[in-house]
Amino acid sequence: MSTDTSVPHPRISGVKGQPMEATDAALYATLMGQAPAGLAFFDTGLRCVRANAVLPELLGVPGADPLRRRPADFLPADVAAAFETALRTVLAEDRPITEADLTVPRPRQEAPPVPVVEPPVPVPGPPATTVAAGTRVLACTWLPARGADGRPLGVVLTALDVTERRRAEEVIRRKEQRYRSLVEASSQVVWVASPDGGVIDDAPEWRSITGQTPDDYAVDGWLAVVHPEDRPRIETTWRECVADNRVFETNYRIRTKTGQYRHFDVRAVPIWRGDTVIEWVGANTDVTGQREAEEMRGRLTEQLSAAALRTARLQQATSMLAEALTVSQVVQVITEVGRSAIGADYSAVALLDDDKLRLSVVAPSQPGGEPRPEGRPESRDGIKVSDQTVMSVAVRESRPFLAEHPDSLRLQLGRDETGLFTQHTEERAWVGLPLLAAGAPIGALRFSFTRPREITEEERVFLEALAGQCALAVERALLFEREHKTAEELQRSLLPSDLPQLPGMVLAARYNPATRHVQVGGDWYDVFRLPDDRLAIAVGDVMGKGVLAAAGMGRVRNALRALALNDPRPAAVLAGLDRLFSATEDEEQFTTVAYAVIDPETGHGAFSNAGHPPPLLISADAPARVSGLEPGTPLGWPSQRQQTSFSIETGNTVVFYSDGLVENRRRGVDAGLEELVAVAADAPPEVVGDPERLVDFLVDRMLAGYEQVDDVTVLALHVPPKPM
């Protein structure tokens, strides 16, 4: 490609002594050699006469020589067609074409810039150039060139690379269109205010809602239609935000063109240019539907609050019933919850007798008083199921009985006695509910009111659920009371009622069950005289609680006594118990026994242990300690039983105990044994010398600060000093 800058030109007078042709030549050379724009001259035959080196680069054909060639000879077809169209237009119409965008491909070896990531958005108005990846946009200006006689000589072309400018303009257009589309698609109405908060632009969308004229809006803008009750607050807040240049965000009521008021949320932010706020842009959102929904929700909340309270009371009843073990406790919970939930003045629970013909009131509706009459005077023998009373009908028909006022009671019961009854009571409305277990009635629940009272459907559902909870709890309590009664009888028969009284030896024992109500478990102790006047002492622990554990305890205790009367040696007794367990007990049964035989006159004896905690030895002249003898295996486990001789000296004490004394959820056996020795060492001499006080001291100190999760048995044997 030739970039010859020598142009023949007539000599003309110069400036400041310089010839004109020299300055023209310098200007031409500079433009053709250093200008960043592409420059070219085309003759009337559309052939390139002059072109600088930049032009082929910009056109995407680096290295091409355009001189004396038409555009079609060195440019791609689509680019050449645009080129020649522009040249012909300028020559034919003798007018310039300015700032015409021409898109050309980039050279393959040239890496294209990062493409615009925003998707193309149609923009209303004149078409705009979209910059595709791998292309370049040139802003071309085509100027007609004439000779001295005015004849057209050709066309001068200037081409400037405006790719990045067009790309930036495209991004701006897309952002503007996106913002406009979002505003139009949302329910927001946008307005603009001056830096001091005044009106600067019209807001047609806003005025279409409020009915304001442009002149009206120009005075106070959006503030003019704010509800009179809201305007002082809003105007003050708006002025403060403008003064502090902080975000304005609030809500108010707006008068619409229909004269009604609607709720709007508003948010306005300052627009900054450097350190100066140039305007405010606000957006109003109609939230009337949301406010109406909130108001409706509030009304529904009020309507449901009573139901929510009843639900909470029902949950409370469930929690309280989980701790109620006796029927009287269940009745107390149910009546208290029912009264507080529905405002009943009186309540009562009655249970069917075994013959299913009579209801017995369990608890009076008034503390310390007699049960309220049931629609007619009732006897102390209870209420017959065949009677016409609130609870009788509920039980007999297995359905709720509702009487909203005395007339309704008389109408449903159909007895003259009800009229007599209502004359002698302040009750004026009644609810009776059957207590059903497995579909069969076991009793009835009754509430009454001192005023006429209509029970709503929601309250009826709650009361039926409460009655269901009551029935389950009563059934469980009845089962518990039966087991409780059996357990008490077993306990009385299995534990010694008293301990032998010996002249040279004092004994004391304590048994603390793990539960407050079932007074029997797997722990046991026994002390009895043998035929040769020696004393047999046993402490054991059968795994489990309740009647089954008590039954296992009874079998072990009775078998031990029988074996001891036949052969009292400790090893022989435990070996016999092993044979008994292997023959009769389940493999899962876990039982430990400590057994000793002592001569009360000499203090000498023998001891054998089947997996039980070691005895505690307290001496008058030595530190307290636990026996270091191997405890052996629990009953029923293969083991060669061993026995050890021992002697209780004068002034000393031996304490047998179960693992519940030293072990719990937070204290292991080893730590418990160490703590037991420490507690015994702290016992005052007067306590050590009195077994009754000693067992209480050990139990109280060892259980202090811990939750008792197992039965605790303690048996102390003390040899007092002989009187001088």
Side-chain angles (χ1 to χ4, degrees):
M1 172 181 173
S2 173
T3 57
D4 183 11
T5 60
S6 60
V7 181
H9 200 281
R11 297 177 62 86
I12 308 175
S13 60
V15 179
K16 294 185 180 180
Q18 294 292 331
M20 180 60 73
E21 62 272 13
T23 57
D24 288 350
L27 174 62
Y28 178 79
T30 301
L31 289 174
M32 298 297 286
Q34 300 182 28
L39 302 173
F41 180 82
F42 291 86
D43 62 16
T44 57
L46 308 186
R47 288 183 297 274
C48 182
V49 178
R50 290 287 187 270
N52 66 349
V54 175
L55 182 64
E57 297 287 340
L58 294 178
L59 294 174
V61 288
D65 184 4
L67 292 181
R68 294 178 294 279
R69 302 171 68 186
R70 296 167 63 98
D73 297 333
F74 64 90
L75 294 176
D78 53 345
V79 178
F83 241 73
E84 294 188 359
T85 299
L87 290 172
R88 290 190 179 95
T89 300
V90 173
L91 291 172
E93 300 180 6
D94 192 24
R95 65 174 179 84
I97 299 177
T98 59
E99 291 292 328
D101 284 355
L102 179 66
T103 302
V104 299
R106 290 179 180 273
R108 291 187 177 180
Q109 66 272 20
E110 181 181 349
V114 178
V116 179
V117 296
E118 286 83 355
V121 178
V123 180
T129 301
T130 299
V131 183
T135 63
R136 174 184 287 143
V137 179
L138 305 179
C140 298
T141 298
W142 313 81
L143 302 172
R146 303 178 186 84
D149 56 0
R151 286 187 308 106
L153 298 179
V155 179
V156 176
L157 166 67
T158 62
L160 184 64
D161 188 349
V162 293
T163 304
E164 295 307 320
R165 184 197 307 171
R166 295 292 186 264
R167 197 182 301 276
E169 292 172 352
E170 183 180 355
V171 171
I172 293 173
R173 285 196 305 273
R174 289 175 178 172
K175 289 183 177 179
E176 290 177 350
Q177 180 61 22
R178 186 178 299 117
Y179 170 74
R180 186 182 300 111
S181 300
L182 287 174
V183 171
E184 292 176 354
S186 68
S187 59
Q188 292 183 331
V189 180
V190 179
W191 48 268
V192 180
S194 63
D196 61 358
V199 178
I200 56 175
D201 286 335
D202 190 16
E205 294 180 355
W206 176 255
R207 291 191 295 101
S208 68
I209 296 173
T210 63
Q212 293 172 281
T213 65
D215 293 339
D216 293 337
Y217 184 78
V219 177
D220 287 330
W222 54 272
L223 276 171
V225 290
V226 175
H227 195 288
E229 296 178 0
D230 299 339
R231 179 159 179 171
R233 170 180 61 88
I234 298 302
E235 192 164 6
T236 299
T237 305
W238 169 238
R239 297 306 175 193
E240 291 174 351
C241 291
V242 169
D244 298 338
N245 290 328
R246 55 186 173 86
V247 175
F248 172 66
E249 190 168 16
T250 185
N251 55 78
Y252 44 62
R253 290 166 290 175
I254 291 297
R255 186 188 69 247
T256 65
K257 58 186 176 182
T258 63
Q260 297 178 338
Y261 284 92
R262 298 186 66 82
H263 293 272
F264 276 79
D265 283 349
V266 62
R267 177 180 172 85
V269 297
I271 306 300
W272 295 83
R273 179 178 295 166
D275 297 333
T276 304
V277 174
I278 60 174
E279 64 181 8
W280 287 77
V281 176
N284 286 34
T285 305
D286 189 338
V287 293
T288 304
Q290 177 182 340
R291 291 300 177 87
E292 292 176 349
E294 291 175 353
E295 293 175 0
M296 181 177 295
R297 190 182 306 116
R299 291 192 295 269
L300 291 176
T301 300
E302 292 178 358
Q303 295 173 2
L304 294 175
S305 60
L309 177 61
R310 288 190 292 270
T311 301
R313 293 292 172 81
L314 189 60
Q315 293 173 343
Q316 177 190 16
T318 302
S319 177
M320 295 171 65
L321 287 173
E323 300 181 1
L325 297 179
T326 65
V327 175
S328 60
Q329 290 173 342
V330 171
V331 171
Q332 180 181 0
V333 170
I334 291 296
T335 54
E336 288 179 358
V337 172
R339 288 187 191 183
S340 60
I342 63 172
D345 297 297
Y346 302 106
S347 60
V349 175
L351 299 181
L352 280 171
D353 292 343
D354 293 338
D355 57 7
K356 307 296 182 183
L357 299 177
R358 191 175 296 275
L359 288 165
S360 299
V361 177
V362 177
S365 59
Q366 299 182 35
E370 294 294 327
R372 302 293 297 181
E374 263 288 284
R376 54 172 296 181
E378 60 186 24
S379 68
R380 293 183 179 272
D381 296 333
I383 309 164
K384 293 182 180 180
V385 175
S386 58
D387 287 344
Q388 287 295 93
T389 68
V390 172
M391 287 196 283
S392 297
V393 173
V395 168
R396 193 166 60 244
E397 300 182 7
S398 295
R399 66 171 179 83
F401 177 93
L402 305 176
E404 301 171 356
H405 44 74
D407 291 340
S408 175
L409 180 69
R410 285 191 291 268
L411 180 63
Q412 294 186 68
L413 298 183
R415 295 288 298 268
D416 293 338
E417 288 89 338
T418 60
L420 181 62
F421 159 71
T422 55
Q423 293 177 11
H424 294 83
T425 179
E426 57 184 346
E427 297 177 21
R428 290 296 178 267
W430 299 264
V431 178
L433 299 145
L435 301 180
L436 303 176
I442 61 172
L445 174 62
R446 175 181 183 269
F447 296 102
S448 59
F449 307 84
T450 57
R451 65 196 182 284
R453 175 73 151 78
E454 179 181 358
I455 301 298
T456 65
E457 183 62 26
E458 291 80 6
E459 290 175 329
R460 175 172 175 161
V461 171
F462 164 77
L463 290 173
E464 290 182 0
L466 183 64
Q469 292 282 356
C470 180
L472 292 175
V474 166
E475 188 178 31
R476 184 179 67 247
L478 290 173
L479 179 63
F480 168 82
E481 289 183 347
R482 285 195 293 269
E483 182 174 343
H484 175 71
K485 183 178 180 180
T486 303
E488 286 183 336
E489 294 175 354
L490 279 173
Q491 180 187 13
R492 285 193 295 269
S493 64
L494 296 177
L495 294 178
S497 58
D498 50 31
L499 299 175
Q501 301 295 321
L502 304 174
M505 194 171 289
V506 182
L507 295 95
R510 291 291 182 273
Y511 174 70
N512 280 17
T515 64
R516 295 170 296 171
H517 305 288
V518 181
Q519 301 297 320
V520 67
D523 287 13
W524 60 280
Y525 65 90
D526 198 7
V527 182
F528 56 93
R529 299 292 292 268
L530 295 170
D532 58 2
D533 290 334
R534 286 187 299 171
L535 193 66
I537 299 174
V539 177
D541 186 0
V542 179
M543 180 180 64
K545 294 286 183 297
V547 176
L548 293 178
M553 178 207 316
R555 290 193 296 271
V556 175
R557 177 177 178 273
N558 293 335
L560 185 144
R561 281 201 172 204
L563 292 169
L565 293 176
N566 180 56
D567 184 353
R569 292 176 304 160
V573 170
L574 294 188
L577 289 176
D578 283 335
R579 293 191 296 272
L580 173 67
F581 258 68
S582 298
T584 63
E585 301 296 326
D586 295 334
E587 294 182 358
E588 294 81 6
Q589 185 64 54
F590 189 90
T591 300
T592 62
V593 175
Y595 173 64
V597 175
I598 302 174
D599 186 342
E601 295 184 359
T602 64
H604 299 297
F607 172 75
S608 188
N609 191 347
H612 206 73
L616 173 68
L617 308 176
I618 304 176
S619 303
D621 55 357
R625 61 185 177 87
V626 294
S627 173
L629 299 176
E630 179 66 33
T633 59
L635 294 181
W637 294 30
S639 174
Q640 182 67 36
R641 297 300 177 186
Q642 304 292 330
Q643 70 181 39
T644 303
S645 298
F646 72 96
S647 177
I648 305 177
E649 303 297 333
T650 300
N652 293 351
T653 303
V654 177
V655 180
F656 301 93
Y657 53 90
S658 63
D659 59 355
L661 183 68
V662 295
E663 183 181 18
N664 54 49
R665 292 191 180 98
R666 296 191 292 119
R667 180 176 62 192
V669 175
D670 293 339
L673 292 175
E674 294 179 1
E675 189 171 342
L676 178 62
V677 172
V679 169
D682 289 341
E686 63 272 16
V687 172
V688 175
D690 185 350
E692 291 286 346
R693 296 175 62 184
L694 178 63
V695 293
D696 288 338
F697 180 84
L698 294 176
V699 171
D700 292 343
R701 293 285 295 272
M702 290 299 294
L703 297 184
Y706 296 102
E707 178 187 4
Q708 184 180 348
V709 297
D710 197 4
D711 298 341
V712 174
T713 300
V714 181
L715 175 64
L717 177 65
H718 176 67
V719 177
K722 295 182 179 180
M724 301 297 294

